[in-house]
Amino acid sequence: MKVFEKHESEVRGYIRSFPVVFDKAIGAELFDEDGNRYIDFFAGAGTLNYGHNPDAAVEASIKYLQDRRIAHGLDKATVAKQKFIEVFVKYILEPRGYDYKMQFTGPTGTNCTEAAMKLARQVKGRANIVAFTNGYHGHTMGALAVTGNEAYRDASYGSRGAVSFMPFDGFLGADIDTIHVFRRYLEDHGSGMETPAAVIVETVQGEGGINVASTEWLQKLAALCKEFDILLIIDDIQVGNGRTGKFFSFEEAGIEPDMVCLSKSIGGGNPMAVLLMKPEADVWSPGEHTGTFRGNSLAFVAATELIQQYWADDSLTAEVARKSSIMMEALNGLRDEFPALNCKVRGRGLVLGIETPVAGFSDKVAACAFEKKLVCETCGADSQVNKLFVALNIEDEMLREGLEIFREAFREVARETV
């Protein structure tokens, strides 16, 4: 690790939580330079829904490179992009009855959310964007402005203007309808809130602590946006691509956002981001939001293979539900085993976590799990939630092995605490 400590910036983050030099990875397994095996319950912070180096994507990418196909295409027309668009329309959009246009932004989630907010402001001719408590939408200046965590709201991050925050579902307690609160701000001209161009929201707040918006809340939010002529942007960067079960996390609510931000797992481990927008929202002038790497051909190739493999039917959705039950049983068991800790189990599909309101507890559990060769992280404003992200196609045996390691780590820390 000395090379990294000496030459890499202090900004490095995950390397501090996982202080080994990783070398190889396949499926839900990681191997360090000494050949030690780790089970991955981190999945690249939601980037590896199909696991590390899925066979179909790897083979297609190797063939693509060996044939000297175009690797860097900006936003030129390429065969790789054409095939991705056709497959995405056939397997994802058409079966769901969605009519979205696609914009390939710079290949990061934060660039996608920046594009969505910029476009929304142009469409409506208004500046204000509404975001929600504990939301997280990226780490560039515009995305940080709609991110709630205090740690990311230092003045050094730049301007935070033209953004209003509203309470997320459940933020004010189970008995308070936060959509009613939002409505009062919109209706009362003395509230200090300018009518927003758009609302940006995650259906499940991953970094914010695995906070799940109910179907009823999402439906009310969509109706409110329509009533007040506000665009609805769903940030599905971390919890889309099947993470909650269906391809889009908002499908079960039966809503149809004006824009959808996709990144992370859409590229099968390759950098890629796609902004979906209703045709009437596509008011861009040519080149108005650009980026040198907005045409990542290898990501197109991988994504095309994975969509055809996993989204031709509902098999993966069923698998997510089945594996979610296995994980929920394990987490609920830990909650019940240590009632004095007042733990809460959170999540939907395979975005799951257990919250322990004891300072430093979750960090200790994650560190202990890593010592036992399980990679997982924490989330929440105070890192109070142990967040478990597994590959959607993880084998049952490996899933149960990883869960047992996590239980051992949790119990060790709990016995020291209680």
Side-chain angles (χ1 to χ4, degrees), residues 158-318:
S159 173
R160 301 191 297 270
V163 172
S164 301
F165 279 89
M166 284 286 107
F168 191 72
D169 190 15
F171 183 79
L172 298 177
D175 297 330
I176 297 180
D177 180 1
T178 59
I179 297 298
H180 176 71
V181 175
F182 189 6
R183 173 180 287 280
R184 287 295 300 127
Y185 271 79
L186 291 170
E187 290 176 337
D188 194 321
H189 297 293
S191 69
M193 177 188 284
E194 300 173 5
T195 301
V199 165
I200 186 167
V201 64
E202 305 153 278
T203 64
V204 182
Q205 295 180 326
E207 300 304 311
I210 318 294
N211 305 308
V212 182
S214 69
T215 291
E216 181 183 12
W217 189 87
L218 289 170
Q219 291 170 343
K220 286 183 177 180
L221 177 61
L224 188 69
C225 287
K226 186 173 183 179
E227 179 182 346
F228 285 87
D229 189 32
I230 301 166
L231 295 178
L232 176 60
I233 303 168
I234 296 290
D235 180 346
D236 239 8
I237 289 166
Q238 186 169 90
V239 298
N241 294 284
R243 177 57 58 181
T244 62
K246 296 185 181 297
F247 186 85
F248 296 107
S249 70
F250 54 84
E251 287 185 57
E252 291 185 5
I255 63 174
E256 191 170 329
D258 298 287
M259 300 183 200
V260 183
C261 298
L262 291 174
S263 186
K264 288 189 181 279
S265 285
I266 187 68
N270 297 283
M272 180 179 175
V274 187
L275 175 61
L276 305 180
M277 67 193 79
K278 290 187 175 180
E280 59 269 25
D282 186 17
V283 301
W284 291 120
S285 299
E288 199 168 4
H289 186 89
T290 187
T292 303
F293 293 101
R294 63 195 184 279
N296 185 349
S297 295
L298 289 179
F300 290 143
V301 170
T304 298
E305 294 295 325
L306 293 168
I307 288 171
Q308 291 178 113
Q309 179 177 352
Y310 287 105
W311 294 104
D313 56 32
D314 294 330
S315 299
L316 186 61
T317 297

Side-chain angles (χ1 to χ4, degrees), residues 107-150:
T108 62
T110 191
N111 192 283
C112 194
T113 57
E114 295 268 1
M117 290 187 290
K118 185 193 297 186
L119 181 59
R121 285 167 169 147
Q122 289 199 31
V123 171
K124 294 302 180 185
R126 309 176 204 138
N128 194 30
I129 302 285
V130 164
F132 290 92
T133 51
N134 286 308
Y136 177 83
H137 302 284
H139 230 89
T140 49
M141 283 188 174
L144 282 168
V146 290
T147 292
N149 194 321
E150 181 182 4

Side-chain angles (χ1 to χ4, degrees), residues 397-413:
E397 183 179 353
M398 199 173 302
L399 175 63
R400 294 183 187 280
E401 182 184 354
L403 284 172
E404 185 55 36
I405 294 173
F406 181 78
R407 278 192 289 247
E408 290 175 6
F410 192 97
R411 286 167 177 151
E412 284 188 21
V413 178

